[in-house]
């Protein structure tokens, strides 16, 4: 029981810490999540984290919150998923509540505007770094590279919705894995 409570506290406190320094959304958090969860604590691997991000991207909700739920569930079941999710969103709830309560016309305050401009630049750098690392780990062969180029063109040149590109890529990945016989390999391992 003591060990279970310790695990739940660790989940809450780590995701609270991560949620407290969140700017730029889920992809910008990838380096932080990788450092905290894969490198420092060995709660997951970098490859699993990328899988969680892919699943989180293609399911409803905020990517980082979905990742917290997956990691929490992996570590401590359903209650772990709930605790990790709450830890991730609780800092935002506190900040938004304080802003709503004490500061009217928050976005019109000059120092807030300047701070947000600085944060936007930092987030752009973090996003660029995260996208570079993410693509370096995800694109492992010619098929992956071609899929990256096609997805980029579909989204940025032809204005195809990202949901369609993600869904199409998932279907293409399943078809390719099936053609390679990878599902039969998994069935043989589980038998």
């Amino acid at each position: 029981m003591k060990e279970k409570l310790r695990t739940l506290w660790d989940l809450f406190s780590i995701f609270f810490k991560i949620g407290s320094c969140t700017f730029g959304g889920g992809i910008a958090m990838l380096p932080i999540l990788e450092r905290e969860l894969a490198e420092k604590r060995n709660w997951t691997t970098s490859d699993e984290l990328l899988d969680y991000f892919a699943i989180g991207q293609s399911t409803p909700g905020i990517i980082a919150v979905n990742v917290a739920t997956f990691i929490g569930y992996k570590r401590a079941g359903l209650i772990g998923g709930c605790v990790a999710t709450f830890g991730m969103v609780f800092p935002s709830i506190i900040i938004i509540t304080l802003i709503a309560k004490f500061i009217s016309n928050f976005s019109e305050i000059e120092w807030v505007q300047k701070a947000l401009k600085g944060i936007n630049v930092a987030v752009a750098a973090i996003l660029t770094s995260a996208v570079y690392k993410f693509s370096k780990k995800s694109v492992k062969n010619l098929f992956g590279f071609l899929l990256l180029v096609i997805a980029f063109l579909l989204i940025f040149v032809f204005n195809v919705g990202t949901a369609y590109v993600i869904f199409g890529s998932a279907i293409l990945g399943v078809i390719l894995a099936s053609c390679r016989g990878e599902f039969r390999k998994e069935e043989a391992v589980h038998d």
Side-chain angles (χ1 to χ4, degrees):
M1 181 65 166
K2 206 173 195 180
E3 184 64 31
K4 179 85 167 181
L5 288 175
R6 178 68 183 163
T7 300
L8 294 174
W9 172 251
D10 287 345
L11 284 167
F12 177 82
S13 61
I14 293 306
F15 283 107
F16 184 89
K17 175 184 168 186
I18 293 169
S20 296
C21 58
T22 301
F23 292 99
I27 298 295
M29 293 182 68
L30 182 60
I32 297 167
L33 289 166
E34 186 170 24
R35 183 180 64 244
E36 292 293 329
L37 305 175
E39 294 170 11
K40 282 187 180 179
R41 289 172 183 78
N42 291 320
W43 286 0
T44 188
T45 65
S46 293
D47 286 341
E48 277 182 328
L49 192 58
L50 288 176
D51 289 343
Y52 294 152
F53 257 77
I55 294 167
Q57 179 70 43
S58 58
T59 56
I62 301 165
I63 300 169
V65 174
N66 291 346
V67 170
T69 306
F70 296 145
I71 297 288
Y73 184 81
K74 178 183 175 186
R75 303 267 313 146
L78 184 60
I79 189 75
C82 293
V83 167
T85 301
F86 185 66
M88 182 65 92
V89 300
F90 193 53
S92 296
I93 293 169
I94 293 169
I95 293 167
I96 290 168
T97 302
L98 290 173
I99 290 170
K101 177 94 175 143
F102 297 111
I103 301 176
S104 60
N105 301 324
F106 184 72
S107 64
E108 295 177 14
I109 299 171
E110 186 177 344
W111 67 267
V112 171
Q113 291 174 352
K114 292 182 189 286
L116 289 174
K117 285 181 184 176
I119 290 170
N120 286 341
V121 172
V123 168
I126 292 169
L127 282 170
T128 302
S129 171
V131 167
Y132 175 73
K133 287 179 182 178
F134 193 73
S135 62
K136 216 165 103 171
K137 291 178 182 178
S138 298
V139 179
K140 298 179 180 179
N141 53 34
L142 180 61
F143 172 75
F145 177 75
L146 290 174
L147 190 57
L148 173 74
V149 170
I150 291 168
F152 180 84
L153 291 172
L154 287 171
I155 293 168
F156 291 104
V157 176
F158 298 106
N159 295 321
V160 175
T162 54
Y164 296 117
V165 174
I166 291 168
F167 185 70
S169 299
I171 290 173
L172 195 58
V174 168
I175 291 169
L176 184 64
S178 180
C179 290
R180 289 181 178 167
E182 292 177 17
F183 293 119
R184 287 188 292 278
K185 292 177 193 173
E186 280 187 26
E187 288 171 7
V189 170
H190 293 297
D191 289 339

